[in-house]
Amino acid sequence: MGIHIPYITSKASPSNDSDGDSVVLSNDHESPMKSVKLTSETHEIQRAPASDEEDRIQIKPVNDEDDTSVMITFNQSISPFIIILTFVASISGFLFGYDTGYISSALISIGTDLDNKVLTYGEKEIITAATSLGALITSIFAGTAADIYGRKRCLMGSNLMFVIGAVVQVSAHTFWQMAIGRLVMGFGVGIGSLISPLFISEIAPKMIRGRLTVINSLWLTGGQLVAYGCGAGLNYVNNGWRILVGLSLVPTAVQFTCLCFLPDTPRYYVMKGDLKKASEVLRRSYTDTSEEIIDRKVEELVKLNHSIPGKNVPERVWNTIKELHTVPSNLRALVIGCGLQAIQQFTGWNSLMYFSGTIFETVGFKNSSAVSIIVSGTNFIFTLVAFFCIDKIGRRTILLIGLPGMTMALVVCAIAFHYLGISFDGTSAVVASGFSSWGIVIIIFIIVFAAFYALGIGTVPWQQSELFPQNVRGVGTSYATATNWAGSLVIASTFLTMLQNITPAGTFAFFAGLSCLSVVFCYFCYPELSGLELEEVQTILKDGFNIKASKALAKKRKQQVVRVQQLKYEPTEEVIEDI
Ligand SMILES: O[C@H]1[C@H](O)[C@@H](O)[C@H](O)[C@@H](O)[C@H]1O
């Protein structure tokens, strides 16, 4: 049998605390081999006492879940089974991206196919916003539905909505049929946008949970890119937009078929009392792990499940909502989760996503689809950059790089739009100066905006699951996801009207102002959560946003991971004995 450390808890040795519950973590300056000692009874990392008072951070565990998840995830390489589950769940991300992305090209190529007339700006807004409205409605209930019916069934339900929505649209000859098809498709998008990151966070090994969740965002932005690419290709094809919509059926079918053969998350099975299935999924996920640890993990999940209050479903839901609002750490998590999602939407990115074709036509670009591809391609590439940075550089840092960059780009766009001079006549826009270098400036800075957006605020809010403890996670993430869709709805339904009423320069200046305020919000309210245990997130948020403490703790966690990795390759005597 190969030598490996079966498990290590994250709990540091309790140091002199009266209730025996709180622990003190400290930087240890000794070598990892000296400072880490495993015993078969405690399985704890014994750290050297803190020498530097500033570095001492009080950690009070909230529940046992994370000790267990750390036990299982340390020294675990990711199994093919987890990769398959992640990729299948992420197809929802792809559909989210594709279905919100294709509308930009479709609005241009629809021409007079609906009601035999050109769509007005108002009608374009309704068709675009219908999906956000549908997503808003279902995202409110999706968290609770996932607890009742299971994550997997919810995803399959969303597939059904995608199919109905697509069929209604493909066969549409009237504006209203198209809008209803988009609404039903939105029901699917809302469910998928919440469940997919939740599903991934529940099956992912803790140490790479951030990255695995970003895979969903990668599929999302990739879906938008594919939608733009297909849109450009089908622009001049008769009824090309119908093919564009119809293509969305392919990933839906793939996801549905794969889900038929895959299980739900262990946590869901525990909630349903099916412990056999829970350990079966864990066994397939953590192939290197012993039966004993799998059993302990299930035990932990059972304990956790009991902590959800209430005798029946409505009572549980009500208690959960109460707990979400009355427990200070939960309330702070809610402020951060909803705050970040609101910022993501109200800084205007989706107005570009949805209407970039229209905007680029407005500034004089004939091949507007090609420019849209560059913009969504930038979004995709910088989401990839975020994938590599999110755990290493940290969520807070990439947010605080991204938001000021976005502000700067928006200000430049506002100035360029001002000098370009645009007027509207209801269905089209007229550029006073014709195509000019200001048009180029706008394109360049929209691309810069896309890069900074994708790096930070486009990606980080979807890490929302880590903000909430297990018992309020479903409802908490529902609130945050609903905020996202409410924001998207407001932007989609008002953007073109804003362009007309307060001018493009005014609209971009407005987004720049909001983006600037967002920097302030993140600076004061968003702690660094990379590498932290979920229990530590709760502790950090317990009596404030504790930015300083979070940064110090995140740093310590990274050092700890390095130590454990070294330990993995150079096991000590104690470790071998422990096996
Ligand atoms: O994170 C995603 C991504 O940034 C998309 O590009 C955007 O359209 C979505 O609204 C957002 O939630």
Side-chain angles (χ1 to χ4, degrees):
M1 189 173 123
I3 296 168
H4 76 286
I5 306 162
Y7 53 92
I8 299 173
T9 74
S10 63
K11 230 187 256 174
S13 51
S15 81
N16 306 334
D17 69 296
S18 49
D19 56 10
D21 209 3
S22 74
V23 293
V24 178
L25 299 186
S26 62
N27 258 344
D28 74 68
H29 306 289
E30 294 179 47
S31 88
M33 292 308 115
K34 277 187 195 151
S35 64
V36 178
K37 180 171 175 277
L38 293 176
T39 68
S40 49
E41 279 146 32
T42 61
H43 304 285
E44 286 178 350
I45 296 175
Q46 314 283 328
R47 291 186 183 80
S51 51
D52 179 353
E53 194 48 41
E54 228 200 356
D55 270 354
R56 293 163 69 94
I57 292 170
Q58 297 288 330
I59 299 298
K60 228 171 212 262
V62 170
N63 56 49
D64 294 336
E65 174 196 21
D66 303 290
D67 289 346
T68 323
S69 63
V70 171
M71 282 193 270
I72 284 197
T73 54
F74 271 2
N75 301 321
Q76 280 290 324
S77 50
I78 182 165
S79 67
F81 185 62
I82 289 181
I83 294 176
I84 292 170
L85 287 176
T86 303
F87 275 79
V88 171
S90 305
I91 295 178
S92 295
F94 181 87
L95 284 162
F96 170 177
Y98 186 85
D99 292 339
T100 53
Y102 74 69
I103 198 61
S104 175
S105 340
L107 284 181
I108 292 172
S109 70
I110 276 175
T112 55
D113 290 352
L114 300 178
D115 298 321
N116 294 320
K117 67 173 188 62
V118 174
L119 293 170
T120 64
Y121 272 161
E123 286 169 337
K124 282 184 180 182
E125 280 176 350
I126 291 175
I127 286 178
T128 308
T131 299
S132 301
L133 177 63
L136 169 61
I137 294 169
T138 48
S139 63
I140 294 170
F141 307 106
T144 308
D147 287 347
I148 300 172
Y149 303 109
R151 286 83 172 113
K152 173 177 139 168
R153 276 202 215 120
C154 283
L155 285 179
M156 291 171 102
S158 77
N159 291 140
L160 209 67
M161 309 283 180
F162 284 127
V163 172
I164 299 172
V167 170
V168 171
Q169 287 173 71
V170 168
S171 57
H173 289 280
T174 63
F175 156 74
W176 282 111
Q177 184 174 342
M178 182 72 185
I180 289 170
R182 292 275 301 162
L183 179 78
V184 177
M185 187 172 255
F187 291 155
V189 172
I191 299 170
S193 66
L194 187 147
I195 305 292
S196 172
L198 185 75
F199 188 101
I200 295 171
S201 73
E202 286 190 350
I203 51 130
K206 183 207 157 294
M207 284 170 67
I208 47 165
R209 184 163 52 210
R211 281 192 173 189
L212 289 191
T213 311
V214 178
I215 288 183
N216 186 61
S217 296
L218 270 172
W219 278 75
L220 197 175
T221 51
Q224 286 175 330
L225 182 59
V226 170
Y228 277 90
C230 295
L234 293 167
N235 237 350
Y236 301 104
V237 175
N238 201 17
N239 280 315
W241 63 273
R242 292 185 203 274
I243 303 174
L244 202 55
V245 180
L247 283 176
S248 69
L249 291 170
V250 178
T252 309
V254 172
Q255 189 182 43
F256 189 88
T257 312
C258 292
L259 283 173
C260 290
F261 300 100
L262 290 171
D264 212 307
T265 69
R267 190 179 313 280
Y268 172 69
Y269 287 128
V270 168
M271 282 169 96
K272 290 282 131 182
D274 194 344
L275 305 189
K276 214 172 134 224
K277 270 244 172 76
S279 38
E280 200 181 297
V281 180
L282 284 172
R283 212 170 296 122
R284 288 172 76 186
S285 304
Y286 300 99
T287 45
D288 270 358
T289 307
S290 72
E291 280 298 319
E292 189 211 335
I293 298 169
I294 299 288
D295 290 347
R296 287 193 57 179
K297 176 74 180 175
V298 174
E299 251 171 52
E300 293 288 344
L301 290 178
V302 171
K303 256 195 245 165
L304 204 67
N305 189 43
H306 287 161
S307 74
I308 299 171
K311 291 184 216 87
N312 48 37
V313 174
E315 205 178 304
R316 268 189 185 201
V317 172
W318 176 241
N319 284 338
T320 310
I321 293 173
K322 259 194 349 209
E323 200 155 326
L324 186 61
H325 291 89
T326 51
V327 175
S329 59
N330 291 345
L331 199 59
R332 284 189 195 95
L334 201 60
V335 169
I336 297 172
C338 295
L340 289 189
Q341 291 287 13
I343 292 169
Q344 186 192 74
Q345 295 305 315
F346 285 105
T347 43
W349 164 253
N350 275 327
S351 56
L352 301 182
M353 245 16 252
Y354 300 151
F355 302 109
S356 59
T358 312
I359 295 173
F360 293 131
E361 271 194 345
T362 304
V363 297
F365 268 90
K366 290 256 155 41
N367 196 351
S368 57
S369 300
V371 190
S372 301
I373 289 173
I374 297 175
V375 173
S376 56
T378 309
N379 188 24
F380 176 73
I381 289 168
F382 279 81
T383 306
L384 197 62
V385 176
F387 173 82
F388 290 109
C389 298
I390 198 149
D391 291 325
K392 271 197 178 147
I393 298 182
R395 290 111 166 98
R396 178 180 159 85
T397 311
I398 56 175
L399 267 185
L400 290 178
I401 293 172
L403 284 168
M406 283 163 63
T407 310
M408 176 273 298
L410 286 166
V411 169
V412 176
C413 285
I415 295 169
F417 268 116
H418 174 76
Y419 286 108
L420 194 66
I422 294 177
S423 58
F424 290 86
D425 70 358
T427 54
S428 61
V430 184
V431 183
S433 57
F435 179 70
S436 76
S437 47
W438 286 115
I440 307 260
V441 173
I442 289 170
I443 307 290
I444 291 174
F445 278 86
I446 282 181
I447 292 169
V448 172
F449 172 74
F452 281 115
Y453 166 84
L455 177 69
I457 198 70
T459 313
V460 176
W462 292 114
Q463 302 285 327
Q464 57 193 15
S465 305
E466 70 189 8
L467 292 165
F468 302 97
Q470 170 60 24
N471 56 356
V472 295
R473 191 171 294 145
V475 179
T477 49
S478 261
Y479 272 55
T481 311
T483 307
N484 178 291
W485 288 110
S488 165
L489 179 63
V490 172
I491 291 298
S493 53
T494 56
F495 180 67
L496 291 180
T497 313
M498 273 171 83
L499 288 184
Q500 281 176 284
N501 293 340
I502 62 167
T503 75
T507 307
F508 277 78
F510 175 73
F511 288 144
L514 290 181
S515 180
C516 190
L517 286 178
S518 307
V519 179
V520 180
F521 174 84
C522 291
Y523 186 82
F524 288 108
C525 300
Y526 187 65
E528 183 55 74
L529 304 179
S530 55
L532 264 61
E533 323 286 349
L534 293 187
E535 64 181 11
E536 290 168 337
V537 174
Q538 300 313 302
T539 313
I540 288 289
L541 294 176
K542 202 167 156 202
D543 56 359
F545 292 103
N546 285 320
I547 309 293
K548 227 174 148 186
S550 73
K551 281 179 7 192
L553 189 54
K555 198 170 153 199
K556 275 183 224 294
R557 282 289 172 243
K558 275 168 204 159
Q559 289 165 348
Q560 185 191 349
V561 168
V562 172
R563 284 203 299 272
V564 171
Q565 274 166 356
Q566 286 169 345
L567 189 68
K568 181 183 177 185
Y569 299 111
E570 298 167 48
T572 61
E573 282 295 302
E574 291 93 329
V575 172
I576 296 167
E577 274 166 21
D578 188 44
I579 295 168

